[in-house]
Amino acid sequence: MQVSMTVNGQQRTDEVEPRTLLAHHLRDNLGLTATNIGCDSTSCGACTVMVDGLTVKSCTVLALQAEGSEVTTLEGLSTDGELHPVQAAFRSEHGLQCGFCTSGMVMAAVGVLADNPNPTDREVREGLEGNLCRCTGYHNIVQAVLKAAESGPAAGQVPSAKQEVTA
Amino acid sequence: MSILGTRVVRTEDPLFLTRGAVYTDDLTDPRLAGALHATFVRSTVAHGTVTEVDASAAREAPGVVAVYTAEDLGDLQPVPPPLPFLDAGFARPWLVPVGGRVHFVGDLVAVVLTEERYQGEDAAEMVVVDIDPLPAVVGTAAAATDETVLFPEVGTNKVAAFGEPAPEDFFADCEVVVTRAIVNQRVAAAPLETRAASAAWGEDGRVTIWCTNQGAQQAQGQIAGWLGLDPKLVHLVTPDVGGGFGAKIGADQEYAFVAWLAQQAGRPVRWAESRSENMTGMLQGRAQDQVITIGGDRDGTVKAYSLVVNQDCGAYPRIGTVLPTLTMLMAAAVYDIPKVHAQATCYATNGTSIGAYRGAGRPEATAAAERAMDLFAAEIGMDPADVRRKNFIAPFTEPFTTSSGATYDSGDYAAALDRVLEAAGYAELRAEQARRRERGDVRQLGIGVSAYVEITGADSGHGTSENAELEVHPDGTATVLTGTSPHGQGHATTWAMLASEQLGIPVEKITVLHGDTDRIPDGGGTMGSRSLQQGGAAVHQAAVELVEVARKRAAELLEANPDDLEVDLANAGLSVKGTPGTGITWAQLAADEQLIVQTTFTANAPTFPFGAHVAVVETDVESGKAVVTRLITVDDAGTIINPLLAEGQRHGGIAQGVGQALLEEILYDEDGNPQTSTFADYPFVSATELPSFELVEMATPTPMNPLGAKGIGEAGTIGSTPAVQSAVVDSVAHLGVRHIDMPATSMRVWRAVREAQKGSTN
Amino acid sequence: MIPAAFEYVRVSTVDEAVAALAEHGEDAKILAGGHSLLPIMKLRLAVPSVLIDISGVQELSYVRVDGDEVAIGAGTRHHELEKSEVAQAEVPLLPHVASRVGDPQVRHKGTLGGTVAHCDPASDLPTALLALGATVVVQGPSGRRSIPITEFFLGFFETAMEEGELIVELRVPRTGAGGWGYEKFTRRENDWPIVAAAAVHLPDGSVGVALANMGGVVLKASAVEAALAEGRSIEDAAELAAEGTSPSSDMHADAEYRSHLARLLTKRALKVASGETGASTAESTAA
């Protein structure tokens, strides 16, 4: 079947098998391999991307379910070579080691800050409950999200995404 | 100002944070164009005889290029056990044939090659495998009976034994003797990146294998050996690696299989396993049943200690078989105990094979010793911190040999404990605990104290050496080649710092290359917390040597006395003493003639990082749920090169220790079926189960390398695991509880309290 | 892991969904958020030949007051329910429980109708709906019908829906400021509950109590409700929480421990609902 979506600001139309998972569509068809797959059970969050401004686990979404949507992956987060505030904070706070969870973790962190621009340590942890990291013990990830929050509303925004107002 | 000791952010990160790292399954190398996808068919029965493998339907499925069963393997010989002293009968077949035995859920029975990834799973499902089940051997107790023997040709499940029983009078002079059977449970390393490999053969008859691994050179040798190839024909590359934690040490059979399949098919082949496959197929860790016995006097003096280990090796013995020897070596821990006994027996069981997992043999020693100290303290009614202090090895700066035979380099264990207790506010914590106990609060406080020492940079098959190559290029950039194999540790940054320190070249201009056997034929990889003290020291040595090479050449060019030239860091070169800016840069020298140094650094001996942890938990005594509220740690790893990265290593280690102490365990049912083979079932520790950590600084340099650095990769896990376990026990100690096995789940805590209140021991 | 192949049908109205269900028969499954269905399809525990995607059916996404009840469209996503001002004012138990489902990513996709139709005995929102005495409105070839939620969950992953029907709406009483408590006991925050208890003071003066993961379906704690109706104390009533349940023993907990938790969590939920104590959330334990 044909599926169309805007990915990191670019309109894409591709032919996919109906069962194609969004994560595989991004990785295998669109070559966006920052999005990783770390489990089979919607547990680890490594595949987290934004669809219409909300974080989702792209291993548990069919590509077809993103029809007409605006999808943002890690590759679409920085603009004009400038790191997004969350990316910059992950670097300055050493919020990543092996990097495998990082793409999903960064996207989830943007989602946390979109929902709550000034979270506490505990609120960051709860906001990231769907993302697993084996390297950092989460300490520096939490520090990075708190640091990113200091840079204001931009930390919770993705470039060019439709700003969805939640009910 | 020296760059060493400063918080340099990682040079790796800009790419990792914008386009993502490039892991094995991300590769778009042109050599992999048109690659087939391999999908393995695995046993769903833990122990049994294969009676039928029918691939006929799968061979007709869409996209299937080939299906291989044991009949199709040609002259491939089973993979011999990885250690020379093991019985050859423990060899592992590539695919279990009809009439052969499967030995764990996950054993390989067939493999499917398809054009597309999705087709592989469909076709693999169509391979019919019938297995006549045999009784499963789950755990060491069942294995030891030999009622069911996994490998009849070996005749016993006993894989290896180390040490002798303790003499009968071992505890004769002790006023108090406490003994207990404890479990250091089987856990998953669970790196976020599962195993993956790709292979492509060139027209020159060489194969390039990309795989996710902690040591390219070791994997290259193993794969060549298994396939009967000259190692020179195997080019092994480890791209970015998404975590390892010990489970990616050594090649896995699947990696070699991918290379063999690519040769058979005449096309490149890729393989990336699912998490479910990983949770049965990848090496797991720990899996020791222990009996600890501690004896001493009522004044707190420990006189004798015995540790008896039964190691579960899983189905096909691998490196886990020898890890108990590290446990035995470190049995005495931080204590000056006159008599220490250690012994281990290793068994094959119908579980996943056991390998290294963060700490690998040492956490098991520390957990045992720290449990023993707590039990002894409880028995004589002494504060656990005081008992430890009374028995510590006194501070030492010259090597000290323990009763279990380890020679420690330097240490001050009492200082580490004092620092952590002070930072924790130990007295106030005990006071708060007393208040809550007095009030009978639902939420009780538990305080766990651990002290540890571990061995890092031990010989893991590559001696205590590592090599480095350093070249400065005419454009002023530099390249470092290293035999270490980072997978999150940040070597690209730290190795660049070490070169920059000597040469004045900014870290951004220094490229660090690793994990490519054509570029770096020799190397020990990254394991056993060896990298900085050996690989980093080699880079340091290379930079020092490069300066000397440059000095000689510069002296000739400048017609100066070499002794009159000094390093001019600001100008990245050499200048005449007292007149900076007048000399010649490394780049200019490199333009004149290649400026390159290859060197090998050999450490005199391993190093022994140490520390002390305090864990604070709140336990809901009605439900049994314990929550870690604070973790305060001293982790002395000698001189710290990059505190930002060293702290990151500590954080990660601490968290994995909490995971083992509270949550994580690989479980099998009585038939050997894994119960925890997804991340929904395996309780991988998450952000909500952890507090932010309180790190306390302490640095006692080692004399074993010029950097003064000890290992830091595993220390956090070694210290935090017993501290957290102890804190949970402590939180309900006033209710009569002395011990709770790991993981200290809420049900175990609840039941321990209930049993204690009924008056039975637990 | 990936699902077995299927045919995909996208619909934009309930009528189209019903028609598609009729056309494709029993091998068709409704796909809403997909967070119950796709995971089991990836493990190939479910192998539907047709998926009917209702995520674009706008008419199923609402939370509104309707007489004495709050009506919630089956397509309402958990995060929408969590943030719904109507729900927060009229039936605050539900948005709270919605906030405890899975993790943010799951709540962005998962739907109320989906979790009810999936009929997992460990599900949070069905437990809350059961305590509230909700009504499940389904639509099929012969039109709409209402099923009391007490008659809806029949067995392990088995509901009272007929072939060709889908859930279109959930209706719950307006409890307003009436007390409520939800005690979810997990290993990790975002795990499925080992046991959970929901308690809520209902407009008719009764107290509804329900339990997750104490049997093959979410269960009413009927003995507790009856004891409370007779005026017995919270402590006494909660002691009856495990009556009539059939908890399983698995690697997370055995039946005895689950029964203990049912009593403990019921007591705590009732106390929170009656304003005696605060909720025993992770924050309070970690403070």
Side-chain angles (χ1 to χ4, degrees):
Chain A
M1 289 180 79
Q2 209 173 61
V3 64
S4 296
M5 62 187 83
T6 305
V7 180
N8 298 333
Q10 287 195 309
Q11 178 66 33
R12 293 294 313 241
T13 300
D14 297 87
E15 198 64 34
V16 297
E17 239 192 302
R19 60 174 165 165
T20 306
L21 301 171
L22 179 59
H24 285 130
H25 182 55
L26 293 169
R27 288 175 53 82
D28 298 343
N29 299 337
L30 308 186
L32 296 169
T33 54
T35 301
N36 292 317
I37 299 172
C39 76
D40 315 322
S41 49
T42 327
S43 306
C44 79
C47 64
T48 300
V49 301
M50 290 265 187
V51 175
D52 296 331
L54 293 172
T55 53
V56 301
K57 293 183 176 178
S58 63
C59 75
T60 310
V61 177
L62 301 176
L64 287 167
Q65 287 177 286
E67 171 69 27
S69 292
E70 192 150 338
V71 178
T72 308
T73 70
L74 184 81
E75 291 98 331
L77 208 50
S78 56
T79 41
D80 307 326
E82 279 279 298
L83 293 181
H84 182 279
V86 172
Q87 291 171 316
F90 266 67
R91 186 175 189 213
S92 71
E93 302 305 306
H94 187 34
L96 65 154
Q97 292 183 26
C98 85
F100 201 84
C101 76
T102 304
S103 167
M105 196 66 83
V106 166
M107 299 311 291
V110 174
V112 168
L113 294 171
D115 201 46
N116 180 357
N118 291 298
T120 62
D121 181 300
R122 184 71 208 170
E123 286 166 346
V124 173
R125 288 176 185 279
E126 286 175 359
L128 297 177
E129 66 185 334
N131 291 73
L132 298 175
C133 169
R134 200 59 161 172
C135 296
T136 65
Y138 308 97
H139 181 105
N140 283 343
I141 289 174
V142 174
Q143 295 308 309
V145 179
L146 294 173
K147 170 108 175 177
E150 291 172 10
S151 50
Q157 290 163 3
V158 295
S160 75
K162 293 175 207 161
Q163 291 300 310
E164 182 177 288
V165 180
T166 51
Chain B
M1 191 190 118
S2 171
I3 192 172
L4 303 187
T6 66
R7 305 172 74 83
V8 177
V9 297
R10 294 205 314 181
T11 56
E12 295 92 328
D13 290 356
L15 277 177
F16 276 35
L17 283 163
T18 53
R19 64 114 167 87
V22 180
Y23 305 103
T24 298
D25 200 35
D26 297 340
L27 291 167
T28 53
D29 191 287
R31 287 168 286 185
L32 290 171
L36 296 169
H37 293 266
T39 307
F40 290 99
V41 178
R42 294 173 182 273
S43 173
T44 55
V45 174
H47 196 197
T49 306
V50 177
T51 56
E52 185 195 6
V53 180
D54 180 359
S56 53
R59 288 194 170 101
E60 303 304 317
V64 172
V65 173
V67 181
Y68 295 85
T69 67
E71 290 175 1
D72 310 309
L73 294 176
D75 55 2
L76 265 186
Q77 295 304 306
V79 172
L83 302 158
F85 61 84
L86 293 174
D87 192 301
F90 290 117
R92 182 174 178 191
W94 292 84
L95 297 171
V96 180
V98 170
R101 275 197 196 188
V102 292
H103 288 106
F104 72 107
V105 170
D107 221 345
L108 300 172
V109 180
V111 58
V112 177
L113 288 183
T114 55
E115 295 286 350
E116 303 290 337
R117 187 195 300 268
Y118 278 23
Q119 293 164 341
E121 231 172 284
D122 296 343
E125 224 178 31
M126 298 167 75
V127 177
V128 178
V129 179
D130 273 338
I131 297 170
D132 198 4
L134 291 161
V137 177
V138 179
T140 62
T145 66
D146 275 340
E147 275 172 25
T148 300
V149 171
L150 268 71
F151 296 86
E153 56 275 41
V154 178
T156 173
N157 295 321
K158 191 192 283 188
V159 175
F162 308 99
E164 302 294 328
E168 275 186 23
D169 61 351
F170 199 67
F171 295 95
D173 60 342
C174 301
E175 291 173 13
V176 176
V177 180
V178 188
T179 188
R180 183 175 280 275
I182 64 173
V183 177
N184 205 296
Q185 80 273 26
R186 178 188 277 260
V187 291
L192 256 275
E193 184 203 16
T194 57
R195 295 177 301 164
S198 304
W201 288 80
E203 285 176 3
D204 58 359
R206 297 183 76 221
V207 61
T208 301
I209 301 170
W210 296 262
C211 63
T212 178
N213 196 265
Q214 293 174 227
Q217 295 80 8
Q218 183 186 343
Q220 173 201 34
Q222 288 176 305
I223 290 173
W226 297 340
L227 296 178
L229 293 170
D230 180 344
K232 291 195 186 73
L233 296 178
V234 176
H235 176 204
L236 196 134
V237 180
T238 53
D240 290 327
V241 170
F245 313 108
K248 290 179 182 171
I249 297 173
D252 281 345
Q253 208 154 347
E254 288 91 338
Y255 293 3
F257 219 147
V258 166
W260 183 84
L261 289 167
Q263 188 176 38
Q264 296 295 308
R267 286 172 64 177
V269 171
R270 312 182 74 125
W271 171 66
E273 70 180 347
S274 69
R275 177 59 62 183
S276 308
E277 203 173 1
N278 175 267
M279 292 298 279
T280 56
M282 178 181 244
L283 291 173
Q284 296 173 350
R286 311 283 192 262
Q288 287 189 2
D289 295 312
Q290 303 173 329
V291 176
I292 48 176
T293 310
I294 186 167
D297 292 344
R298 293 206 170 271
D299 69 352
T301 307
V302 176
K303 292 173 154 175
Y305 170 61
S306 163
L307 170 61
V308 177
V309 174
N310 281 335
Q311 173 73 53
D312 181 346
C313 295
Y316 299 97
R318 285 183 61 177
I319 198 72
T321 311
V322 290
L323 294 179
T325 61
L326 277 179
T327 311
M328 293 165 66
L329 179 71
M330 297 307 295
V334 287
Y335 304 110
D336 194 1
I337 303 173
K339 289 187 290 181
V340 174
H341 163 256
Q343 185 191 351
T345 315
C346 306
Y347 296 99
T349 66
N350 292 120
T352 297
S353 298
I354 293 294
Y357 171 56
R358 207 166 194 160
R362 295 100 81 198
E364 296 90 328
T366 304
E370 294 306 276
R371 276 284 72 219
M373 281 291 158
D374 280 352
L375 290 167
F376 184 68
E379 187 66 26
I380 63 172
M382 200 165 169
D383 185 283
D386 293 338
V387 170
R388 285 172 170 78
R389 199 178 279 110
K390 191 164 180 74
N391 292 285
F392 277 146
I393 297 165
F396 59 101
T397 50
E398 295 296 316
F400 176 95
T401 300
T402 69
S403 302
S404 53
T407 301
Y408 300 166
D409 54 344
S410 61
D412 187 347
Y413 308 135
L417 181 68
D418 289 344
R419 281 193 196 204
V420 81
L421 292 180
E422 189 192 340
Y426 188 65
E428 174 47 35
L429 286 169
R430 286 285 176 211
E432 168 65 12
Q433 179 182 56
R435 285 192 289 274
R436 293 195 192 193
R437 287 181 178 179
E438 181 71 22
R439 290 195 302 260
D441 281 6
V442 170
R443 289 181 205 294
Q444 288 289 332
L445 206 63
I447 305 149
V449 177
S450 76
Y452 72 89
V453 60
E454 64 136 336
I455 178 170
T456 65
D459 180 359
S460 49
H462 196 257
T464 54
S465 296
E466 192 49 89
N467 60 72
E469 178 181 307
L470 172 60
E471 179 174 8
V472 180
H473 307 288
D475 64 358
T477 63
T479 303
V480 173
L481 303 188
T482 177
T484 66
S485 192
H487 40 284
Q489 294 85 351
H491 296 181
T493 305
T494 307
W495 284 200
M497 288 168 69
L498 291 164
S500 178
E501 171 74 5
Q502 301 302 321
L503 304 177
I505 300 172
V507 292
E508 298 77 29
K509 290 191 169 181
I510 302 173
T511 303
V512 177
L513 299 177
H514 57 85
D516 182 326
T517 58
D518 275 9
R519 300 288 305 270
I520 309 154
D522 183 46
T526 287
M527 58 197 70
S529 299
R530 66 183 293 274
S531 293
L532 179 61
Q533 59 186 301
Q534 292 166 11
V539 173
H540 166 80
Q541 182 169 297
V544 170
E545 290 177 9
L546 187 133
V547 168
E548 292 316 310
V549 169
R551 189 193 303 276
K552 287 200 190 89
R553 281 201 219 156
E556 281 173 29
L557 287 170
L558 297 172
E559 297 179 346
N561 185 333
D563 294 339
D564 290 341
L565 296 176
E566 65 181 1
V567 175
D568 184 355
L569 290 176
N571 291 298
L574 292 161
S575 59
V576 180
K577 276 180 185 167
T579 52
T582 58
I584 189 164
T585 64
W586 316 122
Q588 286 168 325
L589 286 167
D592 187 52
E593 182 187 347
Q594 191 182 26
L595 185 56
I596 186 168
V597 160
Q598 288 174 322
T599 194
T600 298
F601 171 78
T602 302
N604 292 333
T607 60
F608 293 81
F610 61 92
H613 288 200
V614 170
V616 182
V617 305
E618 275 193 3
T619 300
D620 175 339
V621 294
E622 291 178 347
S623 70
K625 182 160 184 169
V627 175
V628 180
T629 59
R630 289 179 68 197
L631 264 161
I632 310 100
T633 83
V634 169
D635 300 291
D636 189 328
T639 307
I640 299 298
I641 305 300
N642 185 333
L644 187 67
L645 306 193
E647 288 165 14
Q649 290 299 305
R650 290 168 70 183
H651 294 149
I654 294 165
Q656 287 183 8
V658 177
Q660 185 182 3
L662 281 189
L663 292 163
E664 299 182 19
E665 181 170 28
I666 292 283
L667 292 167
Y668 296 95
D669 70 11
E670 60 189 13
D671 297 323
N673 297 307
Q675 305 293 291
T676 44
S677 52
T678 70
F679 275 177
D681 291 327
Y682 186 78
F684 185 125
V685 66
S686 75
T688 45
E689 278 51 63
L690 295 165
S692 286
F693 309 128
E694 302 166 52
L695 304 188
V696 183
E697 299 311 314
M698 180 163 170
T700 307
T702 178
M704 297 303 168
N705 62 68
L707 304 177
K710 306 186 183 188
I712 191 61
E714 301 163 284
T717 303
I718 293 167
S720 72
T721 311
V724 172
Q725 182 186 18
S726 173
V728 177
V729 174
D730 185 60
S731 69
V732 290
H734 63 298
L735 303 174
V737 176
R738 288 273 176 95
H739 177 76
I740 299 167
D741 266 324
M742 299 188 293
T745 60
S746 50
M747 182 166 74
R748 282 194 174 150
V749 174
W750 171 75
R751 192 150 279 141
V753 169
R754 222 169 55 131
E755 301 290 322
Q757 308 241 294
K758 278 189 199 159
S760 60
T761 41
N762 66 80
Chain C
M1 301 183 103
I2 43 105
F6 52 81
E7 188 189 333
Y8 175 89
V9 180
R10 187 182 284 126
V11 297
S12 49
T13 67
V14 172
D15 288 343
E16 284 176 22
V18 170
L21 273 175
E23 182 188 343
H24 295 288
E26 62 181 332
D27 292 337
K29 281 268 191 190
I30 295 285
L31 177 73
H35 275 49
S36 299
L37 185 57
L38 289 176
I40 60 173
M41 286 176 65
K42 283 162 72 178
L43 297 170
R44 305 209 173 183
L45 300 173
V47 194
S49 56
V50 181
L51 282 190
I52 300 165
D53 186 352
I54 60 164
S55 55
V57 178
Q58 298 294 329
E59 63 184 295
L60 286 179
S61 186
Y62 56 85
V63 182
R64 60 181 173 237
V65 171
D66 187 357
D68 293 339
E69 294 181 313
V70 179
I72 305 163
T76 305
R77 298 187 191 275
H78 302 325
H79 82 106
E80 292 168 336
L81 182 56
E82 180 185 344
K83 303 240 162 98
S84 160
E85 288 177 11
V86 172
Q88 285 169 3
E90 300 294 341
V91 57
L93 171 65
L94 275 188
H96 171 78
V97 173
S99 80
R100 299 294 311 277
V101 176
D103 51 53
Q105 294 95 315
V106 168
R107 297 194 288 273
H108 289 150
K109 292 302 284 183
T111 66
L112 187 62
T115 188
V116 171
H118 188 58
C119 190
D120 189 307
S123 261
D124 297 285
L125 282 162
T127 307
L129 291 167
L130 192 59
L132 284 162
T135 302
V136 187
V137 182
V138 301
Q139 187 168 332
S142 46
R144 288 196 174 208
R145 66 186 180 115
S146 292
I147 308 170
I149 197 154
T150 46
E151 296 166 20
F152 186 80
F153 302 118
L154 298 184
F156 197 59
F157 297 104
E158 185 192 352
T159 71
M161 272 194 292
E162 303 282 344
E163 194 183 315
E165 289 182 329
L166 78 157
I167 301 174
V168 292
E169 187 177 89
L170 283 304
R171 302 178 70 85
V172 293
R174 297 168 63 184
T175 61
W180 56 272
Y182 185 65
E183 294 287 319
K184 177 179 183 177
F185 195 84
T186 58
R187 295 171 305 171
R188 299 173 298 175
E189 279 285 291
N190 76 332
D191 279 325
W192 293 84
I194 292 172
V195 177
V200 58
H201 291 244
L202 296 167
D204 65 4
S206 67
V207 180
V209 183
L211 296 164
N213 222 1
M214 285 297 291
V217 291
V218 291
L219 294 173
K220 269 272 207 192
S222 305
V224 178
E225 292 180 347
L228 290 169
E230 290 166 13
R232 292 170 66 184
S233 70
I234 285 175
E235 277 78 6
D236 286 354
E239 279 303 305
L240 307 174
E243 273 192 17
T245 65
S246 49
S248 62
S249 288
D250 57 31
M251 64 189 166
H252 307 308
D254 60 26
E256 184 188 28
Y257 182 55
R258 279 206 165 86
S259 296
H260 166 73
L261 286 177
R263 291 187 287 269
L264 178 67
L265 301 176
T266 298
K267 180 179 78 176
R268 290 181 175 179
L270 285 168
K271 287 196 169 183
V272 173
S274 69
E276 272 188 53
T277 55
S280 55
T281 62
E283 289 109 303
S284 69
T285 58

